[in-house]
DNA sequence: AATGAATGAGTCTTCATTCAT
DNA sequence: GATGAATGAAGACTCATTCAT
């Protein structure tokens, strides 16, 4: 469902991500997104059945963008330390590159669960959570291996995974793209944050 | 302004913090908070001129609770490493102890700036930002000293401060208090996160 | 009821008249009036049972101030022309002198009749209307006599009375007292308007 | 802006004028107007952004209706006396014919200025004031000429213009259309008021 | 595919009024 | 006499959603 998107839909999702990222999903009306698209809300409702569905699409895209880049790294990498170095760096790079998407996601799921949801919406949310959990599993697996082999400090695994991902997500909060910024600047940020992440895992530098 | 609060007001702020934390500030109506208090909307509006002002009060209380605990540590501590150990541990303890307040704060300020705000609201927001900046300064000062003396890894200071605080805030997102949980459990979490924080700063463990 | 007022009550009525005149009765809250008095609304409610009652007091005072000045003129005057000259001049003088009161009155009674009114309020409104009618009767009597004796043009009496009073009331709309203004200035206005009024009655000048 | 109106909007403005005229603009809720239209609030808000904007539309229509009828008279008329005769008569006829609109306007602008107004609202108000001033200018020009040529009594021009228009507006306060009333009845009223107006200007009858 | 009109439920806010002190 | 807290009803406005075209 959430995965297949044609060009029209993607255009809408991009606009929505932009708006949601800048003003917060709650503060943005369908009309706002339509205006951003230079269209009327009818166009949006032609492609998405509800605002909720549109938000789900944004989130799913965010998680998928991450998953699709990180999963191959895990598959390829030989040892946990090496894997984690690449994962952390790439994660931050993706955050910086798709700032709009990931900023939306850094808001959590409270809003989703405490609203009257249709069965359809619930299904979509579950899909997203599933994907997100799968993404976390990538980290969990690598970290667990690293702890077992002694290269990472031994700490409660869930705490470690969640805190680490929060740390890597942090630019979605404090980073905002500026005119002069180059790819090198973004790489530097990714590099520093990856170093902090490894330090947080107890890797002796 | 934001600092002085009588009992009636504090009661309302506590209720608001609870609601905001559980459902998100946007999703909570003044009626919801009133219901939580077993009172009517009017009671809230008698003490706070707007929802915005109430949200400001919650945020200000959150930052103040933090600041008041951490500032003395900085004042007392002899060296950066020792200071940071205590700061990180205490910060997490506070997050876990006043979960409602700090969860509200982990949402950022977009909502504030992208809304039509009255001069009064703007003043309050500025007060909060000032306090929050002062809080960050506590960390910035200690971290800078640590970097200068070589006990912390040398990295861009702003990135380091913001990421570190985000890391220490992370329990506000993934932690939820459960019935059986003891103080020891919370201390363990604080201990682990503090260790991760120090690792992130490049301290050789 | 409406006539007897002690000092406290008069002070409140004055403040209310000021506020009502400047912002319109609907736009003024009891709190606004209280603020104008440097007091709380409790004080107002101690003396007046409702906003409606307060408004009635203002209106009654307005009509009474008029009636009390004009009635003696009618009683004294020998002929209609002479009477009307004095009445018109004095009416305008009073309007200019008690601008706040009379501006409130120039709003008509729609608001009163289209609201859910208590029997008490209705009684007060009737009292005011009675007084206002009595005031109009003063004009009606003099005008009728003038028409009969041929000194005023013969026209429908009700139309004539109402239009004439509206004309004399007009400064309550377009006049606003200014710092430099003297009694002479006000007298000049009264003189001109009285001349217009007599002209409107068909008096050959 | 305020001038262009399609059929939907005009229908709403008519309903609003009716309601405002009968109960006063403050006493009428958007829901009242919607009920009058057999529709919902939403319909009104689809066409007008606020109650204020709707009120502006009513006022603008009122002034425009007047201006469009009176301006040609001024343009055509040869001498001030003749012009004023027609202007006064027509003005009253319009008041009686569009009673709802003009009654709304006889309320003044206090409410507009003493409210928190958006830039947009202010712009609309200025447009109305401009038009109203232009309307007054029509009278001012004719009256000035009449004074200069000695056919009207020489008096302060502003006082004269404002009082005269107030006099001509007076039916909007005391006149209410009744079932049996014919065009002849209304013409009689207009005729009498016009005569009073000319008398007020000092024309020897 | 897309638009504009319309709906209706919900939200913030105001305010006259009451009441305990 | 006067205050401050609290209530409850009402009103302006928003916005996701539906529908005819």
């Amino acid at each position: 469902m959430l995965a297949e998107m044609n060009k029209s839909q993607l255009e809408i999702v991009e606009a929505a991500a932009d708006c949601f990222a800048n003003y917060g999903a709650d503060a943005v009306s369908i009309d706002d997104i339509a205006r951003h698209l230079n269209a009327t809300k009818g166009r949006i409702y032609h492609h998405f059945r509800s605002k909720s569905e549109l938000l789900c699409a944004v989130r799913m895209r965010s998680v998928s963008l991450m998953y699709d880049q990180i999963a191959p790294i895990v598959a390829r990498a030989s040892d946990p330390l090496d894997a984690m170095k690449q994962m952390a760096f790439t994660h931050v790079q993706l955050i910086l590159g798709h700032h709009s998407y990931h900023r939306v996601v850094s808001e959590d799921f409270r809003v989703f669960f405490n609203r009257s949801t249709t069965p359809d919406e619930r299904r979509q949310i579950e899909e997203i959570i599933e994907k997100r959990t799968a993404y976390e599993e990538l980290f969990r697996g690598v970290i667990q291996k690293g702890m077992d082999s002694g290269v990472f400090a031994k700490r409660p695994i869930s705490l470690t995974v969640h805190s680490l991902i929060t740390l890597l997500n942090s630019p979605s909060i404090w980073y905002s793209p500026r005119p002069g910024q180059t790819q090198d600047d973004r790489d530097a940020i990714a590099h520093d944050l990856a170093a902090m992440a490894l330090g947080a895992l107890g890797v002796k530098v």
Side-chain angles (χ1 to χ4, degrees), chain A:
Chain A
M1 297 281 137
L2 285 172
E4 307 138 26
M5 264 197 289
N6 59 35
K7 216 178 126 188
S8 296
Q9 289 171 325
L10 186 56
E11 192 190 8
I12 293 171
V13 169
E14 303 256 71
D18 259 18
C19 294
F20 290 159
N22 284 323
Y23 305 98
D26 279 297
V28 170
S29 72
I30 296 283
D31 272 311
D32 290 334
I33 301 170
R35 218 169 297 127
H36 202 78
L37 279 165
N38 243 323
T40 63
K41 60 184 149 203
R43 177 154 151 215
I44 294 173
Y45 273 98
H46 189 76
H47 293 284
F48 296 88
R49 267 181 310 206
S50 70
K51 183 180 177 180
S52 202
E53 191 168 297
L54 184 50
L55 182 52
C56 281
V58 172
R59 283 165 176 268
M60 185 47 120
R61 185 158 163 76
S62 161
V63 194
S64 296
L65 286 170
M66 287 286 182
Y67 189 90
D68 294 349
Q69 297 289 317
I70 300 297
I73 297 178
V74 177
R76 264 200 319 268
S78 48
D79 71 304
L81 180 56
D82 187 50
M84 186 51 66
K85 273 182 188 168
Q86 292 179 60
M87 288 165 83
F89 184 80
T90 308
H91 182 109
V92 178
Q93 270 188 325
L94 287 169
I95 293 272
L96 299 176
H98 297 84
H99 189 251
S100 292
Y101 282 101
H102 303 305
R103 179 153 195 184
V104 175
V105 176
S106 70
E107 296 165 7
D108 71 317
F109 282 92
R110 279 173 308 185
V111 58
F112 279 120
F113 289 123
N114 295 111
R115 226 181 258 287
S116 68
T117 44
T118 66
D120 231 43
E121 276 168 34
R122 259 193 299 281
R123 207 170 313 120
Q124 291 182 20
I125 294 170
E126 272 157 30
E127 252 185 274
I128 297 171
I129 294 181
E130 222 170 85
K131 191 89 181 191
R132 202 166 79 156
T133 307
Y135 186 67
E136 285 171 11
E137 285 304 324
L138 296 175
F139 279 79
R140 186 181 297 259
V142 171
I143 291 173
Q144 188 65 63
K145 258 194 235 159
M147 286 184 182
D148 293 345
S149 69
V151 63
F152 296 158
K154 284 193 177 47
R155 299 201 188 95
I157 185 71
S158 278
L159 178 151
T160 309
V161 170
H162 288 131
S163 303
L164 193 83
I165 293 182
T166 304
L167 175 63
L168 295 174
N169 278 335
S170 75
S172 74
I173 295 173
W174 51 256
Y175 172 80
S176 42
R178 276 176 231 172
Q181 215 126 25
T182 66
Q183 181 58 39
D184 276 359
D185 296 327
R186 284 194 289 277
D187 284 352
I189 294 174
H191 180 267
D192 284 326
L193 263 170
M196 288 182 76
L198 290 172
L201 287 173
V203 175
K204 281 101 191 152
V205 193

